[in-house]
Amino acid sequence: MTGPRRTPPPPTLVGTTTDGPENPPEHQPRSRWGLLTDRNFRLLWIGETVSKLGSSITTLALPLVAVVRLDAGSFTVGLLTAAVWVPWVLLGLPVGVWVGRLPRRAVMLTCNLVSLSVLASLPLVDGLGALTMTHLLLAALVAGTASVFFTTAYQVVLPELVGQGDLVEGNAKLQGGAAAAQVAGPGAAGLIAQGFGAVFGLLADSITFLVSTVTLLMMRSRREAQPKPAPAPASLRGDVVEGLKFIARDSYLRTLTAFGATANLALAGYQSILVPFLIREVGVQPGAVGALAAAGALGGILGAVVATPVARRFGAARGALVSQIIAAPCGLLLPMTTGGASLVLFVFGSVALVTGATVSNVIFGSFRQNYTPPELLSRVVATSMFVNHSTIPLGALLGGLLGSAIGLRPTMWIATGLLVLAGAMVLASPLRRHRDFPARRADS
């Protein structure tokens, strides 16, 4: 027996505010603090920001442990870095299917507990004098795998916590917290390593996973979309292919995925040679390299602050285009840096690049969450991230090879030039014809 058929609401646009079914009144900002007055979102934001701080500490602590405690060489440290990203390449596509079939919060809690256990085991084993490089590599691989599951589930949970009109603000606040953590993390890792030893940075990260777990448990169950049982046994391969086809056949998602992959290729290319470029080509002292590299993270905070106002002022689609038009060419200031007063070019270029990237990430991520049917969202998120993350190790490899073959400064020109071309891809897409994004795909 079926109930009366409901007439679907008229389509709305990402970046506009509605009080329809997709944006219930209880999610409307009630004060200048916006979504932070919402208990569930506040807990998610606190847990994610603290967790990102821990991850930022581990980014520095993990190679420090390898070098200081285990006397690892450059190739081994490179393997350690790769171990964190390899799970995206191996598992990115099927994870989207698996997360779509499971309760998202349970997935996130499990991932937190796995990461906590793995990272906490390292200082414990080190205290027993039994830490090995194999253990360190396996820990990086397991933690990276948990991150694939957690990130996919977390991207799906956010639309279930906030209304459609609040997604841009929600993503902006989460990105802002992550950017602040990236600024504070390396400094905290250095202080911990100096005072207690590098391995204790990993213990600090494990504690942040505990904080994230507690905040998830404190969240009140509201309207998490439970996975619907399939009418027939579902094929993993078929579900993966369906997610791929959904992106490949849609001009908006296809463009944004291609843009993300190209931009990450270019970013990884120049970041892989950033330290030798600053020291050998620009003449920066090693002690100042960290401060210059942190300038980009400040751009992440700025981008998170301005993303919502930009989307409201220009419209979501147009705001993302404006951010790319302004920010992408500023990357060309990086290879112009020669030292002395010209370091201002490097700082300005880095801040502008990351600001534009953050604004785009917030707006594009919100669009994807709004636009994709809920039953496909985990697959679309995982597929997009699979494509985007797969180009990171490739870009790092190409950056290193080109830096050795043609020099560091020419490679910086090539990488930053590719960033400009990535921005041009968005300008040439159907997005240029819209002020805002469609909130739902027409055939969904």
Side-chain angles (χ1 to χ4, degrees), residues 61-72 193 197-199:
L62 205 60
L64 274 177
V65 171
V67 173
V68 174
R69 300 292 294 169
L70 302 175
D71 196 27
V199 74

Side-chain angles (χ1 to χ4, degrees), residues 23-412:
N23 194 23
E26 66 265 25
H27 293 307
Q28 295 299 319
R30 293 176 288 277
S31 75
R32 64 192 180 92
W33 297 105
L35 283 174
L36 291 179
T37 61
D38 183 290
R39 173 189 169 89
N40 280 352
F41 178 81
R42 184 170 64 251
L43 287 168
L44 179 68
W45 179 78
I46 292 171
E48 274 304 284
T49 300
V50 172
S51 181
K52 286 293 190 295
L53 174 63
S55 298
S56 184
I57 291 173
T58 294
T59 299
L60 183 61
L62 205 60
L64 274 177
V65 171
V67 173
V68 174
R69 300 292 294 169
L70 302 175
D71 196 27
S74 299
F75 178 73
T76 304
V77 173
L79 284 179
L80 192 60
T81 302
V84 177
W85 294 104
V86 162
W88 279 105
V89 180
L90 298 180
L91 299 173
L93 293 177
V95 162
V97 178
W98 294 327
V99 168
R101 297 175 180 176
L102 298 168
R104 261 69 78 180
R105 189 156 58 151
V107 171
M108 296 165 73
L109 287 168
T110 302
C111 291
N112 274 346
L113 293 175
V114 168
S115 297
L116 186 158
S117 302
V118 168
L119 291 173
S121 73
L122 295 171
L124 176 63
V125 172
D126 182 64
L128 298 173
L131 184 63
T132 65
M133 195 65 216
T134 300
H135 188 170
L136 211 58
L137 285 166
L138 286 174
L141 192 62
V142 172
T145 301
S147 177
V148 176
F149 280 87
F150 185 96
T151 303
T152 303
Y154 142 77
Q155 289 284 332
V156 179
V157 160
L158 183 61
E160 297 167 353
L161 290 181
V162 305
Q164 175 182 309
D166 292 333
L167 270 176
V168 171
E169 181 194 347
N171 280 306
K173 281 184 166 56
L174 289 167
Q175 291 252 355
Q182 288 174 353
V183 173
L191 290 174
I192 292 171
Q194 184 70 28
F196 306 98
V199 74
F200 279 89
L202 304 177
L203 180 60
D205 191 10
S206 70
I207 294 173
T208 67
F209 281 109
L210 179 60
V211 173
S212 178
T213 299
V214 171
T215 58
L216 283 172
L217 289 171
M218 290 175 64
M219 289 168 60
R220 292 170 182 158
S221 181
R222 182 186 288 162
R223 62 186 186 100
E224 178 176 339
Q226 297 299 319
K228 297 179 181 178
S235 161
L236 176 62
R237 180 177 179 275
D239 282 351
V240 168
V241 170
E242 186 180 5
L244 285 167
K245 286 182 177 179
F246 186 84
I247 292 177
R249 292 173 177 174
D250 188 276
S251 58
Y252 297 106
L253 295 175
R254 185 173 63 244
T255 297
L256 299 188
T257 302
F259 162 75
T262 306
N264 278 347
L265 180 72
L267 287 168
Y270 90 73
Q271 288 173 352
S272 68
I273 61 166
L274 188 59
V275 171
F277 170 75
L278 288 173
I279 293 176
R280 297 170 186 167
E281 292 287 332
V282 181
V284 175
Q285 294 299 313
V289 171
L292 289 172
L298 294 174
I301 298 175
L302 178 60
V305 170
V306 304
T308 302
V310 165
R312 289 174 178 167
R313 172 66 179 83
F314 298 101
R318 197 169 295 165
L321 294 180
V322 168
S323 71
Q324 286 302 310
I325 292 172
I326 296 174
C330 290
L332 299 174
L333 296 174
L334 272 61
M336 293 182 184
T337 308
T338 57
S342 72
L343 287 175
V344 174
L345 298 178
F346 182 89
V347 172
F348 182 82
S350 296
V351 171
L353 262 183
V354 180
T355 299
T358 303
V359 171
S360 297
N361 286 342
V362 168
I363 293 176
F364 291 159
S366 302
F367 162 65
R368 185 171 56 222
Q369 290 163 336
N370 264 309
Y371 184 70
T372 306
E375 67 273 12
L376 283 173
L377 183 55
S378 65
R379 279 175 274 173
V380 169
V381 166
T383 299
S384 299
M385 290 186 172
F386 164 76
V387 175
N388 291 345
H389 286 76
S390 295
T391 60
I392 292 176
L394 177 61
L397 178 62
L398 289 175
L401 291 174
L402 285 175
S404 299
I406 64 175
L408 296 171
R409 194 177 297 274
T411 303
M412 289 289 288

